[in-house]
Amino acid sequence: MDILNKVKNDRETEKQLGWEGTFAEYLELVKENPTIAQTAHSRVYNMIKSAGVTEKDNNKMYEFFGSAIFGLESAIQSLVEEYFHPAARRLDVRKRILLLMGPVSGGKSTIVSLLKRGLEQYSRTDEGAVYAIKGCPMHEDPLHLIPQHLREDFYHECGIRIEGSLSPLNTMRLEKEYGGRVEDVKIQRIFFSEDKRVGIGTFSPSDPKSQDIADLTGSIDFSTIAEFGSESDPRAYRFDGELNKANRGMMEFQEILKSDEKFLWHLLSLTQEGNFKAGRFALISADEMIIAHTNESEYKSFIANKKNEALHSRMIVMPIPYNLKVSEEERIYKKMIQESDIADVHVAPHALRAAAIFSILTRLKESKKQGIDVVKKMRLYDGESVEGYNQIDMEDLLNEYTDEGMAGIDPRYVINRISSTIIRKEIPSINALDVLRSLKEGLHQHPSISKDDLETYLNYISIARKEYDEIAKKEVQKAFVYSYEESAKTLMDNYLDNVEAYCNQNKLRDPLTGEEMNPDEKLMRSIEEQIGISENAKKGFREEILIRLSAYARKGKRFDYQSHERLREAIQKKLFADLKDVVKITTSSKTPNESQLKKINEVIARLIDEHGYNSVSANELLRYVGSLLNR
């Protein structure tokens, strides 16, 4: 099988990447490439940066998170620039626990998982290579072998700062195995692996009465005490706690605020001083990033307890809200469906968008700005143009609330309801109405929705339905327009000829008779009225179009109906308005004649070929739009 060959090649690649040598040889590598000696925080930051950074709408987009985190560009930017970057530069934030705080199914665990998988891959690259003292259960930094009093000299020679002390076990090994000759100590390249417990640790709280602190810091191996003679002999200690194994990489503390206090106090010394206490030894140095996550209610309870002040002061809290963009929410649902067993089910176009509209509405807060309701706010957040509002209004909306997106319907609920719809309907196709109906039915059984919220959410279902109605009508009307682009181009060219004559106070020549005639005011107004251009505003709008036309001509660019957003909208609405009666008659006829049947079949074919429907969902869409137009 091909997969076995890939496994074999992967094994061979890891062997080729492997390296083993003495400490003296390792120092030569460090002199050639000082990034080998980078700290855990620096490694994480460089890993994120190496995946690529782009700028969009004054936000930095970190490609490392782009494949799995959608709509949280601002939160991710804050995370990277306010924690990872300064921590990588050895600023004080690296001495803090990174606490991701947000609602359920908001992306906290996904962020942590991406960092873990990323570190595993990054440690297999030249830039992310990690080296450790061979045989050390904590894969200790080889530079700890340099005595404290010589580290200043090493810094002046190589420009690398060394933090931390040699562990008790390696101190003993240095004397007993190498006779104190640090240059002979064996060093090897290691590869991070959560499964093999190398450089990545995970701690999950359980029953405080049964959970042992040894899960974090390791424990005495009583079977070896007779051999080594003392509990304080480091060879009689298992350095296998999560803090030991996460050294040089990262440690995930799941649901940190549910942990017993005795586990949390160990983090105080680790974060502030870079060491922790284990067994009957001096403090053990560890270089690792501590990342934890919790929800908002638990966090509020935690900070309300005065006993937690010391730990709270050692945390950097990063809010991870829900996504607030409809288009990005769609991507979340598509990803979740692709990763499930329902990936082969046909989901009609716009079904997920209808669900996304509902979800986003539940997460938004009413704006204090006059004239902006939640629907307009939703559209602005998604990058749509809303007449009368601009980018400044958008920024004001974003700054209105600091906790927007911290509550509402979560993506898991939506996917659960979609799954329920598929199972109940028992056909390999679902549409927007199926999804909205299932979302509505599920609200009554949702355990965390109050009566007030239920009424609001049912209203949002109705809004999502109205939004979908408009989308469905446009979809069918567009499919009914044969050679849609050509029809739009013809109408636009006719409009532009008349606008140019109107603005220049010229006459037009009839292409058939050759007679001169005045610009067609009726035609121009029939298009302009589609987007609410008043009689008083028509002159300004036409002059704006002419200026844009001239600008394109000067640059040698072709002006088409996509070149002016509002004109494009007006052209589309005009075409659709002219076609509405044809659509209504054809879709609602119970016994269509031959001509109507041919038209229906053409539309269905176009919906399937060009719009992503299958035969079932295309027929359902036509019947639904027919009923809408006949109301």
Side-chain angles (χ1 to χ4, degrees), residues 17 19 26 29 33-38 43 119 121-132 188-192 248:
L17 289 174
W19 182 92
Y26 170 72
L29 291 180
N33 181 15
T35 57
I36 287 173
Q38 65 188 324
R43 189 174 293 109
L119 278 174
Q121 293 301 318
Y122 193 58
S123 68
R124 286 161 173 75
T125 65
D126 292 340
E127 299 84 3
V130 188
Y131 296 82
Q188 67 176 13
R189 182 173 179 181
I190 62 171
F191 304 102
F192 287 163
R248 313 294 302 287

Side-chain angles (χ1 to χ4, degrees), residues 113-388:
S113 181
L114 283 171
L115 292 171
K116 287 179 180 179
R117 301 292 81 78
L119 278 174
E120 289 175 340
Q121 293 301 318
Y122 193 58
S123 68
R124 286 161 173 75
T125 65
D126 292 340
E127 299 84 3
V130 188
Y131 296 82
I133 297 173
K134 187 177 180 181
C136 173
M138 286 182 60
H139 16 271
E140 189 169 2
D141 186 347
L143 294 182
H144 285 181
L145 290 163
I146 296 177
Q148 292 281 355
H149 64 282
L150 296 178
R151 290 183 178 182
E152 192 66 28
D153 295 339
F154 182 75
Y155 173 69
H156 290 303
E157 184 180 341
C158 298
I160 297 171
R161 294 187 186 279
I162 304 172
E163 297 177 353
S165 303
L166 194 63
S167 67
L169 179 61
N170 285 324
T171 300
M172 177 177 280
R173 289 179 63 207
L174 178 61
E175 293 303 319
K176 290 186 178 294
E177 295 178 27
Y178 298 100
R181 292 176 57 82
V182 296
E183 61 271 27
D184 294 338
V185 175
K186 291 292 184 184
I187 309 299
Q188 67 176 13
R189 182 173 179 181
I190 62 171
F191 304 102
F192 287 163
S193 169
E194 184 176 19
D195 293 338
K196 296 177 182 177
R197 301 185 74 214
V198 178
I200 299 174
T202 303
F203 182 82
S204 183
S206 58
D207 183 3
K209 294 178 182 177
S210 61
Q211 193 160 32
D212 193 347
I213 198 68
D215 294 347
L216 273 183
T217 61
S219 60
I220 297 168
D221 185 352
F222 289 101
S223 66
T224 62
I225 292 176
E227 179 184 352
F228 298 119
S230 170
E231 290 183 16
S232 60
D233 190 310
R235 292 170 298 179
Y237 196 84
R238 294 192 187 101
F239 294 90
D240 61 355
E242 294 303 322
L243 295 181
N244 306 105
K245 293 301 182 180
N247 187 32
R248 313 294 302 287
M250 66 175 282
M251 161 81 178
E252 178 191 8
F253 222 113
Q254 295 178 347
E255 301 297 342
I256 186 171
L257 304 184
K258 291 179 181 174
S259 297
D260 190 72
E261 289 179 2
K262 66 182 179 182
F263 294 96
L264 299 181
W265 298 135
H266 269 279
L267 302 182
L268 291 177
S269 175
L270 179 60
T271 52
Q272 192 63 36
E273 308 298 335
N275 51 45
F276 63 93
K277 191 80 173 76
R280 298 178 180 180
F281 307 115
L283 292 168
I284 296 174
S285 296
D287 172 30
E288 55 197 81
M289 182 182 78
I290 307 292
I291 186 167
H293 41 88
T294 189
N295 60 50
E296 193 173 14
S297 60
E298 284 177 353
Y299 176 69
K300 286 179 178 177
S301 300
F302 172 76
I303 59 175
N305 188 343
K306 293 293 183 183
K307 290 195 300 181
N308 297 326
E309 284 182 353
L311 190 60
H312 182 233
S313 68
R314 286 171 172 81
M315 289 179 173
I316 295 286
V317 181
M318 284 289 170
I320 306 296
Y322 284 132
N323 157 60
L324 297 177
K325 297 178 181 177
V326 172
S327 54
E328 295 297 309
E329 190 74 6
E330 274 190 273
R331 293 181 66 193
I332 293 172
Y333 300 156
K334 285 176 183 174
K335 176 176 175 285
M336 293 174 81
I337 287 173
Q338 286 166 1
E339 293 172 350
S340 73
D341 291 336
I342 60 173
D344 58 334
V345 173
H346 173 75
V347 180
H350 312 298
L352 298 182
R353 185 169 187 83
I357 288 169
F358 165 68
S359 297
I360 298 302
L361 288 172
T362 68
R363 301 169 189 172
L364 296 177
K365 293 194 172 189
E366 290 282 352
S367 174
K368 299 167 189 173
K369 291 175 74 74
Q370 193 171 359
I372 295 187
D373 57 21
V374 285
V375 175
K376 285 181 181 176
K377 190 176 189 180
M378 174 189 74
R379 289 178 178 156
L380 284 167
Y381 276 12
D382 204 35
E384 293 183 41
S385 60
V386 176
E387 191 174 355

